[in-house]
Amino acid sequence: MAVVGAGAAGALVAVQLCEAAARRRTPLDLVLIDPAAEAGRGTAYATEVPEHRLNVPVGGMSCYPDDPGHFRRWLCRHGESTVTAADFASRHRFGSYLADTLGRAIITAHGTVAVRRLRTTARSCADTADGRLALTLADGGTVTADSVVLATGPAAGTAGWAPAALRGSDRFIADPWAPGALDAVGPADDVLLVGTGLTAVDLALVLDRPGRTVHAVSRSGLLPRPHAVAPLPPVPPPPGLGALPIHRLRTALRRHIAAVLRDHGDWRPALDGLRPGIAALWQGLTDDERAQFLARDATRWNVHRHRMAPATAEAVTRARAAHRLRIHAGRIAAAEPLADGRLAVRLADGRELTVARVVDCTGPGLRMDSAGDPLWGGLLADGLAVPGPLGIGVATDAGRLLDARGRTARPLFTLGAPRRGELWETTAIPEIRVQAQEIAEAVLAPLTPARAARRRRPTDQFGLPLSTHAAAATAFRTGLGRVVTVRAKAAEAFARSVELDPGFALGHAALALLGHECGADVDVNRALADARRSAAERGDERERSFVDVVTRRVRAHDGGTASADDADRALIDHLDRFPGDAFALGIAVPTIAFAGVGDLDGSLALRLVEHTAPAYDGHWFHTSLLAFVRQEQGRIDEAGALARVALAAEPASGHAVHALAHVHYESGAHRDGRDWLDGWIGGQGRGAVHRAHFSWHVALHELALDDSAAVRRRWFAQLAPRQVNGVRALVDSGSLLWRARMSRNWTGRMPVEGVLDAVARDLVERPATAFTALHSAVALTAAGDLPALRRLRTHAAGADPVQREVVVPLCRALEAVLEERWTAAVSGLRALVPSLRKVGGSAAQREVVEETLLYALMEAGQSDAARHLLEERLDRRSSPLDRRRLADLPG
């Protein structure tokens, strides 16, 4: 496979080829032919001028059609942590992103795809006797390939507009992007830019300085419009536009734009809504209508469609206000040299401009046969390619070149600017990345054998088949074993499985899940996109269903189209069809590792565990989950017996340990529970992934025993921020501090600020789940941070239904606690307690709200209500702490 050109288009094709070939295990020799020192930059992204910004926001510049946030996340990982999808990055940074993404794709595909870079250009392409294609290179070499992609970018401009005297002048700069092209421009030299589009804007920023006037001239004198500082969502056009002749289409679009401007106060959403259908509209026009568009509409279309970044527009406005940049509407008629070496440039209306240099900023040419490129010239002359509509670009069938007979007989492809005649809008990354993916599919499809009856596949430890090879399956089993025992380093094992087999859907899905729900260091959206591609290409029905479950869970909490209820129903449906999928069952039952499913039916966790029991035949993993469910039902003795059975079979089972920890707590066996769990943490529990939570359980026993000194020792030794980070710091460390303060087991300053510092601020103030939000509210209350608590309430008001129904009133009640409005606090907390189960987690975790209510009752002087609550608690379980608090009540 040869890719001619390694700028943006070539890099995007190479990324897709490497990753798709690796997923499908299709061996490929890939040759990239380009003279540039670094792949991915081309002309557009080689500039190092920081003022040269992308003309598309960061959110539209991902390499991947199915992962729009990839570029933004790359920027965040490379020092720009505050960047948003609406920002405009520098073009040089985007070039670095392309190069890095290609490099990572090559590394991922190593062993399946062999990549070579040839630092030269291709001069010709011809058929070979065996049906392949031979490329002749400028350095005298040749490359023979089964398929060739011509990713050459736009055709060079011809400067046909310039008078002969100007083209022959050494003061004329035909290619402003050539290395050193502007070096001869003196500090006080005035400059004329011919063209007022985005190229002229870029050059105006480079040349702008005090003491110099930069002129820019075009027939329209129109500059690109700026992007909105706060962009609105696209508004789709009315249906039926594709069937209209151009005069009616023009009228319909004007009405659409006017309506959007009237309704939204901005015309941009109307044009942005047109983008997905532009190619279809263009292809629906006759050649005469396309010619009319080019003559009458193209300029205004371009200035509105291809916009400046807001910061760029501000710089242009400042330069114009200072008269350092002057815009002219007109056409150059003549240019004559003056005695001092400058040029007198006369416009068609008689105006004259005296400048030291004239720069061609009219942009690329439209015709491939007039660009002076020997490769394209030879293809057109030999009939291997033909011009596109109106002679613009070349004709293709979905990117595959048509020859002079109208056939796609050769595996010869192109993308981007050469397809402009047939697509019109095809030069921006959002269009090119889709074309790159389509080309990779077209190239690899004939090389990927159809799914045949497979030899026996490896299985996981529960007997379910895995669509991968033995080595990757072994790594996956290791990861799954760590998940079901709740032990550390599961993500590392899953990462190893996809390193061994980049097309292993379950490995990618497992990584996405652990990154999303457990805070593993994973690019969740990238893993999710890889899982979806791999499942579509190689997964069986169960694997595709599991990937869909993970996708819905991630998108439900990340502002996607899926709701939490949809995600839960997908998981329940998956377990109905595949009850033996232990990974899915572990996700569904809210014990310690995952958030579980919402309480859609009052006893959902119980139904799921009981429904799947026949598939496990008493396996310790299933028994561990059943033990946890039983204690949540209040069947404490049965839960304890089940947990001990599971631990006899697998002493490292974190789910069984967790269930038994709750059994000890709910039965009031605080000393036995403290001693047994402390011993397990120091033994089998040393590899547990949630050791902090088990330590929290020990501290709960110590708190119930009213042992202030033990609680403090435990917190500093096992729950302080140096030991715990992320969501566990909120859920365990922060909540314990607040409970200790309310029970008067922590006097003096609480180190809660350190807890909050150990958690990403977004997680604290914009949590994805109601369970996390509850603990964020508790930690912020412990810190006394009333403004942050109010920001959390604002976030929860716009989040999922459970956050709106539970977290919003919780925040209001805790605000009353901080403001010492005790009657309001009591009222709010008391009303909230019955609905707390909706947030998930265990009764022991949700009890922090009841503890706060008890504290508020005592502060409000409502001793009778506090006494009643304490007596109810003591009826449930023994607690020296509650007995002491009961004795301390007045009267």
Side-chain angles (χ1 to χ4, degrees), residues 805-807 809-811 813 827-836 849:
E805 295 168 21
V806 180
V807 177
L810 174 64
C811 288
S827 176
L829 291 167
R830 180 177 281 147
L832 189 60
V833 168
S835 60
L836 281 176
V849 177

Side-chain angles (χ1 to χ4, degrees), residues 241-255:
L241 296 181
L244 299 178
I246 192 167
H247 67 282
R248 292 182 59 194
L249 176 62
R250 189 181 289 120
T251 300
L253 289 180
R254 284 175 175 164
R255 287 175 178 167

Side-chain angles (χ1 to χ4, degrees), residues 137-181:
L137 308 181
D139 62 6
T142 60
V143 171
T144 302
D146 296 291
S147 300
V148 172
V149 177
L150 302 175
T152 54
T158 61
W161 54 268
L166 180 58
R167 288 200 302 271
S169 171
D170 60 1
R171 298 275 173 160
F172 179 61
I173 301 173
D175 180 5
W177 302 115

Side-chain angles (χ1 to χ4, degrees), residues 557-582:
H557 292 145
D558 286 357
T561 55
S563 71
D565 283 355
D566 289 339
D568 287 346
R569 291 189 182 98
L571 180 52
I572 294 164
D573 178 67
H574 177 85
L575 285 167
D576 281 343
R577 292 184 292 146
F578 309 105
D581 191 333

